[in-house]
Amino acid sequence: MAVYNYDVVVLGSGPAGEGAAMNAAKAGRKVAVVDDRREVGGNCTHLGTIPSKALRHSVRQIMQFNTNPMFRQIGEPRWFSFPDVLKSAERVIAKQVTSRTGYYARNRIDVFFGTGSFADEQTIEVVCPNGVVETLSAKQVIIATGSRPYRPADVDFNHPRVYDSDTILTLSHTPRRLIIYGAGVIGCEYASIFSGLGVLVDLIDNRDQLLSFLDSEISDALSYHLRTNNVLIRHNEEYERIEGLDNGVILHLKSGKKIKADALLWCNGRTGNTDKLGLENIGIGVNSRGQVQVNEYYRTEVDNIYAAGDVIGWPSLASAAADQGRSAAGSIVDNGSWRVVDDIPTGIYTIPEISSIGKNEHELTKAQVPYEVGKAFFKSMARAQISHEPVGMLKILFHRETLEVLGVHCFGYQASEIVHIGQAIMNQKGEANTLKYFVNTTFNYPTMAEAYRVAAFDGLNRLF
């Protein structure tokens, strides 16, 4: 049995694994990546971010066709099935795999497909699909195995009508009514997707507000637009049991309510993919959700082993995972690329989408920061009118004395793109972070970015 020697072995080829592998390889290290699929990309490419966002884009196009009067010259509103829409996502996945496979080849990174586990702190054993065991010796190892949907033991996920956010991509029909249990980011995104296809959705939330980490005004706007699109939101509810039927599912809630639907989608939390890593062989423990603890350098309790991405928990975003992986490798190669990844915009791909960065009003009020608000409503923006996207707003929170930008919150068309302009200004040092940038800068017209100028003038007009 051959033993392959490497400087760095990365477990997982999702955003964190890819970021780590590329940074280490570009620093001159000999790198190998291990993934338990036969293709690179991780859960992000195959089950999570890419397919769900591709689904969302297709559904949004369908909604535009069915609601824009101009398209009535082409034909009447059309109905599309979930499997039909899923085909577009599959095409995007294939393109992503091709692109990412090329990255590893160009950077001369060896990729092993199989299940990797620790034999000891510097030895990884990879069980390949054909049963052959490969042994990799490494000076440093980076764990980037991601996460999967949390599955409580009392829910029968083998029932053909019970899905999680991974298995929903195998759905072969379009339900008339769907229960989504869990109203976090994934639950809200899928509520938008299915309701956009005309499915009646019951969205079960165990809290009293959707996505309570958001600015409350943005959260309220999301709730309103979901409700107007046939999503029934039930707050402060918890499941007691899930009863599978031949033709559907009954959800029994602790409040005594019973809800029947054609299918149930479980979106209540995620678990780190650590159970097959053999962490017990090297003395690394995990928490109740299977997540590995790391310090600010992304190092675990074992000096030569690092971890990044969903497997370490917060914020469980593909964007952050890529930077965490790069930073973990930066800690190893010491090329100046390490940083604590905490400047993270929130991107939520509901319909309409949401993005934010910095503090919200509740946090600033609690901290007794004297702030003011500037708003721009999309219904008044020329680009939004041209695009038939009148829903949404940009909201800037700034210090009323120094004019420092403290938070940017956006709801509506291109929100996840718009937020980055505010992020760039907030990252400027000292007096360069100022609301005045937006009024002293000429924006292209008409654009959605111009909302910053409108919101800045609105905020300045509130000062006295």
Side-chain angles (χ1 to χ4, degrees), residues 150-164 167 239 241-245 248-250 264-266:
Y150 169 65
R151 287 186 164 194
D154 60 344
V155 177
D156 180 13
F157 287 96
N158 292 318
H159 192 281
R161 299 283 182 147
V162 178
Y163 300 86
D164 62 24
T167 59
Y239 83 100
R241 64 187 178 93
I242 295 170
E243 179 185 356
L245 309 174
V249 176
I250 298 176
L264 181 142
L265 171 57
W266 180 273

Side-chain angles (χ1 to χ4, degrees), residues 151-197:
R151 287 186 164 194
D154 60 344
V155 177
D156 180 13
F157 287 96
N158 292 318
H159 192 281
R161 299 283 182 147
V162 178
Y163 300 86
D164 62 24
S165 57
D166 284 356
T167 59
I168 195 66
L169 298 177
T170 66
L171 182 66
S172 59
H173 67 285
T174 306
R176 294 179 62 84
R177 182 180 293 274
L178 175 70
I179 298 168
I180 297 180
Y181 187 85
V185 171
I186 296 173
C188 287
E189 288 180 349
Y190 270 109
S192 290
I193 289 169
F194 279 101
S195 64
L197 289 173

Side-chain angles (χ1 to χ4, degrees), residues 6-305:
Y6 294 95
D7 296 315
V8 180
V9 168
V10 180
L11 301 177
S13 68
E18 183 180 296
M22 297 304 159
N23 195 13
K26 290 182 185 300
R29 302 303 195 270
K30 186 179 180 182
V31 180
V33 169
V34 179
D35 198 283
D36 60 4
R37 276 192 184 82
R38 293 176 183 264
E39 297 177 317
V40 299
N43 287 343
C44 170
T45 296
H46 295 277
L47 296 172
T49 302
I50 296 303
S52 65
K53 277 52 177 180
L55 276 170
R56 174 197 177 274
H57 178 73
S58 297
V59 169
R60 194 172 151 274
Q61 288 182 311
I62 293 168
M63 293 171 70
Q64 284 185 315
F65 177 84
N66 286 340
T67 57
N68 191 329
M70 182 183 72
F71 291 120
R72 296 293 71 77
Q73 298 177 38
I74 301 173
E76 293 304 307
R78 305 291 178 87
W79 181 82
F80 290 80
S81 72
F82 183 80
D84 286 341
V85 177
L86 194 59
K87 291 176 183 176
S88 65
E90 291 170 351
R91 288 191 288 270
V92 176
I93 292 170
K95 291 178 181 178
Q96 282 285 297
V97 169
T98 299
S99 298
R100 299 186 182 285
T101 300
Y103 302 158
Y104 291 103
R106 286 201 299 273
N107 287 278
R108 292 172 171 77
I109 297 169
D110 294 339
V111 180
F112 292 83
F113 295 113
T115 302
S117 61
F118 287 93
D120 58 46
E121 295 173 4
Q122 293 187 314
T123 306
I124 303 294
E125 292 183 344
V126 183
V127 180
C128 300
N130 61 3
V132 172
V133 178
E134 304 279 17
T135 301
L136 313 183
S137 177
K139 296 174 184 176
Q140 281 97 13
V141 180
I142 300 175
I143 301 170
T145 45
S147 65
R148 63 182 183 273
Y150 169 65
R151 287 186 164 194
D154 60 344
V155 177
D156 180 13
F157 287 96
N158 292 318
H159 192 281
R161 299 283 182 147
V162 178
Y163 300 86
D164 62 24
S165 57
D166 284 356
T167 59
I168 195 66
L169 298 177
T170 66
L171 182 66
S172 59
H173 67 285
T174 306
R176 294 179 62 84
R177 182 180 293 274
L178 175 70
I179 298 168
I180 297 180
Y181 187 85
V185 171
I186 296 173
C188 287
E189 288 180 349
Y190 270 109
S192 290
I193 289 169
F194 279 101
S195 64
L197 289 173
V199 178
L200 300 175
V201 176
D202 284 270
L203 181 60
I204 314 301
D205 184 14
N206 58 17
R207 300 184 180 183
D208 57 6
Q209 180 185 359
L210 283 186
L211 306 179
S212 55
F213 59 88
L214 290 176
D215 179 273
S216 58
E217 199 168 4
I218 301 293
S219 175
D220 290 344
L222 174 63
S223 296
Y224 171 79
H225 286 284
L226 286 175
R227 287 187 175 109
T228 59
N229 204 30
N230 292 322
V231 177
L232 177 59
I233 304 170
R234 301 176 187 265
H235 290 295
N236 297 312
E237 297 281 10
E238 291 187 23
Y239 83 100
E240 185 175 77
R241 64 187 178 93
I242 295 170
E243 179 185 356
L245 309 174
D246 290 340
N247 62 348
V249 176
I250 298 176
L251 174 64
H252 298 259
L253 297 170
K254 290 183 178 179
S255 63
K257 299 183 185 71
K258 292 190 292 185
I259 307 167
K260 185 178 180 182
D262 302 314
L264 181 142
L265 171 57
W266 180 273
C267 293
N268 197 36
R270 296 187 69 82
T271 298
N273 291 324
T274 52
D275 52 314
K276 297 179 182 179
L277 291 178
L279 296 181
E280 65 278 4
N281 296 333
I282 54 174
I284 292 180
V286 297
N287 64 17
S288 60
R289 283 297 176 101
Q291 297 162 346
V292 177
Q293 304 302 305
V294 295
N295 64 14
E296 62 179 345
Y297 297 100
Y298 299 98
R299 183 184 286 122
T300 69
E301 54 198 300
V302 178
D303 284 348
N304 72 310
I305 299 175

Side-chain angles (χ1 to χ4, degrees), residues 204-434:
I204 314 301
D205 184 14
N206 58 17
R207 300 184 180 183
D208 57 6
Q209 180 185 359
L210 283 186
L211 306 179
S212 55
F213 59 88
L214 290 176
D215 179 273
S216 58
E217 199 168 4
I218 301 293
S219 175
D220 290 344
L222 174 63
S223 296
Y224 171 79
H225 286 284
L226 286 175
R227 287 187 175 109
T228 59
N229 204 30
N230 292 322
V231 177
L232 177 59
I233 304 170
R234 301 176 187 265
H235 290 295
N236 297 312
E237 297 281 10
E238 291 187 23
Y239 83 100
E240 185 175 77
R241 64 187 178 93
I242 295 170
E243 179 185 356
L245 309 174
D246 290 340
N247 62 348
V249 176
I250 298 176
L251 174 64
H252 298 259
L253 297 170
K254 290 183 178 179
S255 63
K257 299 183 185 71
K258 292 190 292 185
I259 307 167
K260 185 178 180 182
D262 302 314
L264 181 142
L265 171 57
W266 180 273
C267 293
N268 197 36
R270 296 187 69 82
T271 298
N273 291 324
T274 52
D275 52 314
K276 297 179 182 179
L277 291 178
L279 296 181
E280 65 278 4
N281 296 333
I282 54 174
I284 292 180
V286 297
N287 64 17
S288 60
R289 283 297 176 101
Q291 297 162 346
V292 177
Q293 304 302 305
V294 295
N295 64 14
E296 62 179 345
Y297 297 100
Y298 299 98
R299 183 184 286 122
T300 69
E301 54 198 300
V302 178
D303 284 348
N304 72 310
I305 299 175
Y306 297 72
D310 281 17
V311 78
I312 67 171
W314 184 91
S316 296
L317 296 170
S319 55
D323 285 344
Q324 289 173 341
R326 183 171 184 272
S327 293
S331 297
I332 293 171
V333 302
D334 195 23
N335 63 354
S337 61
W338 167 84
R339 68 182 178 92
V340 176
V341 182
D342 56 4
D343 172 31
I344 305 166
T346 297
I348 302 171
Y349 295 87
T350 47
I351 304 175
E353 66 191 67
I354 297 169
S355 194
S356 64
I357 191 165
K359 302 295 185 182
N360 60 38
E361 289 199 64
H362 174 75
E363 290 168 334
L364 293 174
T365 300
K366 187 176 181 179
Q368 297 183 326
V369 176
Y371 73 94
E372 195 46 88
V373 183
K375 296 181 182 180
F377 292 95
F378 289 0
K379 64 183 180 182
S380 302
M381 306 299 301
R383 183 62 178 271
Q385 293 169 353
I386 292 167
S387 305
H388 299 281
E389 296 283 359
V391 172
M393 70 168 180
L394 172 67
K395 180 177 182 178
I396 304 174
L397 307 180
F398 62 96
H399 197 289
R400 63 173 295 117
E401 295 166 4
T402 66
L403 302 186
E404 175 188 1
V405 180
L406 304 170
V408 175
H409 306 272
C410 193
F411 176 72
Y413 179 55
Q414 293 189 359
S416 58
E417 305 283 353
I418 293 168
V419 75
H420 293 127
I421 299 171
Q423 179 187 31
I425 299 306
M426 289 173 67
N427 280 338
Q428 302 306 303
K429 303 297 183 183
E431 295 181 358
N433 176 3
T434 174

